[in-house]
Amino acid sequence: MKPFINAKGLVHEYSRRDEEGNVTGINRALDGIDIEVKAGGFIAVLGANGSGKSTFAKHLNALLVPTEGTLYVDGMDTSEQKNNLPIRRTAGMVFQNPDNQIISNVVEEDVGFGPENMGVPTEEIWRRVEESLKSVGMYEYRKDSPNHLSGGQKQRIAIAGIMAMKPKCIVLDEPTAMLDPSGRKAVIKTVKELNKKENITIILITHYMEEVTGADYVYVMSEGQVKMKGTPRQVFARSEELAKYRLMVPEVTKIALGLSKKGINIPKDILYPEELTDILLKIKSGVL
Amino acid sequence: MSIKLQNVNFIYGIGTGKEKQALKNINIEINNGEFIGLAGHTGSGKSTLVQLLNGLERATGGEIFYNGKNIYDKSYNMRNLRSKVGLVFQYPEHQLFETTVINDVQFGPKNLGLPQLEVELRSFNALKMAGIDDSLLDVSPFALSGGQKRRVAIAGVLAMQPEVLVLDEPAAGLDPAGRDEILGLLKKLHDENNTTIILVSHSMEDIAAYVDRLLVMNQGEIVLDGSPEKVFQFEKELEKIGLGIPQPAKVIHQLKEAGADIKGTPVTVSESVESIYKWLKET
Ligand SMILES: Nc1ncnc2c1ncn2[C@@H]1O[C@H](COP(=O)(O)OP(=O)(O)OP(=O)(O)O)[C@@H](O)[C@H]1O
Ligand SMILES: Nc1ncnc2c1ncn2[C@@H]1O[C@H](COP(=O)(O)OP(=O)(O)OP(=O)(O)O)[C@@H](O)[C@H]1O
Ligand SMILES: [Mg+2]
Ligand SMILES: [Mg+2]
């Protein structure tokens, strides 16, 4: 089967310009990326600030086109302009700063804007608006103005707006950066459900290590290249290598590593608090 | 030096028929040299509260005293307050507007009327502290990655060398190493210069590791005020209001619930490793 997303040798160069618009330098933000995602897959992308994650995300949505190499989204070549619109309908984007994504003065209109634009029948639009607002916990704000909401509330509206379009794929670029713990949990849960129940392909970019534990596969980027890849457990078992790329393992994994350094015989790829508690109780009672 | 809030209320949209009370009767005193964490669910009023502290917004009720002086007195010098209380916005885009990174950072100190040499010295220093590479100085702030923008916004406020640093989610969007660097920098400013720090954060892990005193907000009110060790004992309450406790504290709670006799109330990774190790070695 052909991969749903297929990047081969993908390169992106930004040209830096001075105040008069003259090119003063070239910045190779993506430097030969190979990433394949199958339809219905859930991948996470990690990496230091400036490593190229958002640039990659913008390619998935054809907001940027390859300087070199190729990128196919659902079989469509992103470098062909005629594919722009179908690609944007296929891959919905959620950004970190919701301000740039809010369009309308009323929450429910904002969420309905996408499907309306796609020609979805009115009744179906309202059904989707209700469903997606409920799943992000913002249904009671449907008549409010998004401009009067807090940062985290706006972000939930932006996510609902993308959900209502029911795209085949959702690209989330640090969607939880401004959310409180329960909001973060809710968004990650929603994302997992969209992936499992609706088979929507998910690309999740984040700096929160705990959030990627649900992904099938993790890519670690550094200086425009993919430096590590594997399942979350495989990647988080390599804590020293991660540190080289300015990343860290989740805090529970750190505790396990700390205990292991002190001579306790404990696995180093623990990802969840419950898992750690369980293992510790077993070690204490001598059954492990 | 202290900031005192007395019966502070804030209502958005007064007179529009769509009023929204964002702060209800806030009474707190922030003392000189404290490192304070401010947590709360989304929409609880954190950003509104911190915008009152440097006079950016005006309380719709109540008083605020800076060093004992009422900042709402007619004769009070608001401009001066803004240079003493530096605010890093939740969204760096709201703060960056100049054509180059260096101009952006110099804007604040220039406005203070400092001599050019001092302006430059402070700006280069601040950019260095915030982890911005020299190669980015002449770049437009809008051509930066998310985390790079955040650092420039922080540098802009650091360059003003305020007495009180208020940061609204400064670590959001930073990579894990960057998060530690910036929070470590705040700790250094606090320890070495006695700068008062007010850190708004959704990360209970960051709060546990850095702050001395934690204020928790719920629906416009302060509902918990104490050391992180104390506040994180209220796991159920925190969860009820959309928050949680740091992962290490969670593991400790689970162990205790299962009957483990662990001493103390560790909330950070290193504290937990110590306590768990001792417990495992006990016979
Ligand atoms: N519009 C632009 N013009 C020129 N250079 C840019 C532009 N946007 C980003 N860059 C540069 O490209 C590189 C990659 O940026 P990108 O935004 O993809 O990083 P990122 O991995 O998303 O980082 P972050 O974690 O900080 O969001 C950085 O060096 C950045 O300065
Ligand atoms: N300009 C505005 N007009 C009307 N209401 C507003 C405005 N800004 C914020 N609010 C409301 O005031 C309340 C407090 O908002 P605030 O931005 O202070 O929350 P917050 O704790 O900073 O949230 P977050 O963690 O999401 O940033 C929210 O209910 C919000 O909807
Ligand atoms: Mg980015
Ligand atoms: Mg806020």
Side-chain angles (χ1 to χ4, degrees):
Chain A
M1 213 179 72
K2 267 197 299 183
F4 181 76
I5 286 167
N6 194 357
K8 275 220 161 38
L10 180 62
V11 169
H12 188 86
E13 286 178 348
Y14 290 106
S15 28
R16 296 226 141 106
R17 288 166 201 280
D18 62 16
E19 280 162 50
E20 276 90 55
N22 305 310
V23 176
T24 56
I26 299 283
N27 181 5
R28 208 171 167 92
L30 294 179
D31 188 14
I33 298 279
D34 295 318
I35 288 182
E36 281 185 14
V37 189
K38 65 177 188 340
F42 177 175
I43 70 150
V45 182
L46 302 173
N49 291 136
S51 60
K53 303 178 298 296
S54 297
T55 305
F56 178 61
K58 286 175 191 153
H59 275 268
L60 293 175
N61 206 9
L63 288 171
L64 296 174
V65 291
T67 311
E68 285 168 35
T70 53
L71 173 63
Y72 286 84
V73 175
D74 200 12
M76 295 176 278
D77 185 343
T78 61
S79 65
E80 284 185 39
Q81 207 178 346
K82 70 169 171 34
N83 289 337
N84 279 0
L85 213 61
I87 286 173
R88 279 175 207 153
R89 282 183 182 176
T90 305
M93 281 274 261
V94 177
F95 297 96
Q96 175 181 336
N97 184 345
D99 282 348
N100 314 330
Q101 312 174 59
I102 303 276
I103 313 149
S104 162
N105 269 327
V106 184
V107 164
E108 59 184 3
E109 281 173 17
D110 196 85
V111 176
F113 184 82
E116 185 175 355
N117 240 2
M118 291 164 62
V120 175
T122 313
E123 226 166 272
E124 171 68 8
I125 294 178
W126 289 116
R127 212 187 49 74
R128 289 191 193 181
V129 167
E130 181 180 332
E131 185 185 74
S132 47
L133 277 175
K134 278 184 178 159
S135 69
V136 297
M138 289 297 292
Y139 187 61
E140 55 197 290
Y141 290 88
R142 64 190 177 281
K143 301 284 182 206
D144 288 2
S145 160
N147 301 318
H148 294 172
L149 297 175
S150 77
Q153 291 168 331
K154 280 186 198 157
Q155 187 60 300
R156 297 198 205 186
I157 301 301
I159 293 170
I162 298 297
M163 284 169 60
M165 291 166 69
K166 296 209 187 283
K168 283 190 192 165
C169 167
I170 302 184
V171 183
L172 302 108
D173 192 356
E174 299 190 42
T176 63
M178 291 299 166
L179 297 185
D180 57 32
S182 74
R184 260 163 68 188
K185 265 193 225 151
V187 166
I188 296 301
K189 186 164 161 263
T190 310
V191 166
K192 280 185 193 160
E193 274 173 17
L194 289 171
N195 177 247
K196 292 275 159 333
K197 290 191 191 146
E198 319 244 348
N199 210 33
I200 294 177
T201 307
I202 304 285
I203 319 292
L204 172 67
I205 297 172
T206 182
H207 288 300
Y208 291 104
M209 302 299 128
E210 318 84 70
E211 291 179 355
V212 311
T213 54
D216 312 325
Y217 217 68
V218 178
Y219 291 86
V220 173
M221 288 183 60
S222 174
E223 296 180 348
Q225 299 179 343
V226 173
K227 299 284 189 180
M228 295 170 76
K229 55 186 179 181
T231 63
R233 236 178 252 283
Q234 287 166 345
V235 168
F236 286 137
R238 293 150 71 184
S239 65
E240 275 154 34
E241 209 181 335
L242 280 168
K244 229 172 46 192
Y245 303 124
R246 302 181 56 83
L247 303 180
M248 275 169 209
V249 295
E251 296 230 314
V252 274
T253 318
K254 279 193 208 163
I255 297 179
L257 285 172
L259 289 168
S260 160
K261 273 212 191 95
K262 285 172 151 310
I264 305 285
N265 190 9
I266 185 169
K268 289 177 207 152
D269 61 354
I270 293 175
L271 296 182
Y272 307 99
E274 295 70 27
E275 195 185 356
L276 178 60
T277 306
D278 240 46
I279 287 176
L280 287 173
L281 289 169
K282 283 182 186 152
I283 293 176
K284 176 74 179 177
S285 58
V287 296
L288 203 86
Chain B
M1 207 285 313
S2 80
I3 305 175
K4 194 169 170 187
L5 281 73
Q6 222 170 52
N7 301 324
V8 165
N9 283 283
F10 190 88
I11 301 174
Y12 281 106
I14 285 187
T16 61
K18 279 197 131 190
E19 279 133 24
K20 165 86 206 173
Q21 181 151 16
L23 297 175
K24 288 177 205 154
N25 229 10
I26 305 277
N27 285 293
I28 43 168
E29 182 157 3
I30 294 160
N31 300 306
N32 191 15
E34 276 192 303
F35 195 144
I36 292 192
L38 182 59
H41 61 84
T42 168
S44 60
K46 304 179 297 296
S47 296
T48 308
L49 180 62
V50 297
Q51 288 176 46
L52 298 181
L53 299 180
N54 77 338
L56 196 70
E57 291 277 2
R58 192 191 167 98
T60 54
E63 310 296 341
I64 296 179
F65 298 90
Y66 188 75
N67 288 340
K69 293 210 179 78
N70 190 334
I71 69 167
Y72 297 141
D73 273 351
K74 274 215 180 65
S75 59
Y76 194 84
N77 185 345
M78 265 303 177
R79 227 181 110 89
N80 190 37
L81 180 70
R82 279 193 203 149
S83 69
K84 295 273 189 281
V85 182
L87 172 63
V88 178
F89 286 68
Q90 184 168 10
Y91 293 98
E93 287 86 351
H94 294 176
Q95 197 162 339
L96 304 172
F97 50 89
E98 286 279 348
T99 49
T100 64
V101 165
I102 186 69
N103 286 351
D104 218 301
V105 176
Q106 289 187 349
F107 181 86
K110 248 187 202 153
N111 239 3
L112 294 179
L114 297 169
Q116 184 57 23
L117 192 64
E118 175 78 11
V119 169
E120 282 176 15
L121 215 64
R122 282 191 182 198
S123 305
F124 283 116
N125 243 327
L127 281 161
K128 203 164 167 191
M129 286 196 279
I132 284 289
D133 194 84
D134 284 351
S135 66
L136 294 176
L137 295 190
D138 293 320
V139 169
S140 156
F142 302 97
L144 296 176
S145 83
Q148 290 164 340
K149 278 184 197 153
R150 170 74 65 193
R151 288 165 202 263
V152 174
I154 292 173
V157 176
L158 289 178
M160 312 258 295
Q161 302 186 349
E163 291 173 353
V164 181
L165 247 181
V166 186
L167 308 103
D168 200 347
E169 298 274 3
L174 294 186
D175 57 49
R179 212 138 70 204
D180 274 0
E181 287 159 11
I182 290 293
L183 295 171
L185 169 67
L186 298 182
K187 182 153 174 48
K188 191 164 166 248
L189 291 171
H190 169 260
D191 293 349
E192 291 175 8
N193 304 357
N194 203 34
T195 307
T196 305
I197 312 270
I198 301 169
L199 170 71
V200 177
S201 176
H202 281 310
S203 165
M204 299 302 141
E205 283 78 14
D206 290 349
I207 283 179
Y210 289 95
V211 314
D212 306 324
R213 175 177 166 202
L214 171 56
L215 302 173
V216 179
M217 295 190 68
N218 181 38
Q219 302 197 354
E221 292 177 282
I222 306 253
V223 292
L224 291 165
D225 177 355
S227 69
E229 290 75 22
K230 277 192 190 152
V231 171
F232 289 137
Q233 297 313 304
F234 294 84
E235 184 180 3
K236 293 267 140 46
E237 282 80 347
L238 288 168
E239 269 170 11
K240 224 185 286 165
I241 60 173
L243 302 179
I245 61 173
Q247 278 199 349
K250 192 153 196 131
V251 172
I252 298 290
H253 281 204
Q254 287 171 356
L255 287 169
K256 283 184 176 175
E257 261 167 38
D261 178 27
I262 294 177
K263 305 281 180 316
T265 51
V267 291
T268 66
V269 170
S270 52
E271 291 165 8
S272 307
V273 170
E274 287 311 315
S275 305
I276 293 173
Y277 182 76
K278 275 195 198 121
W279 166 70
L280 285 175
K281 287 291 164 192
E282 266 166 22
T283 40

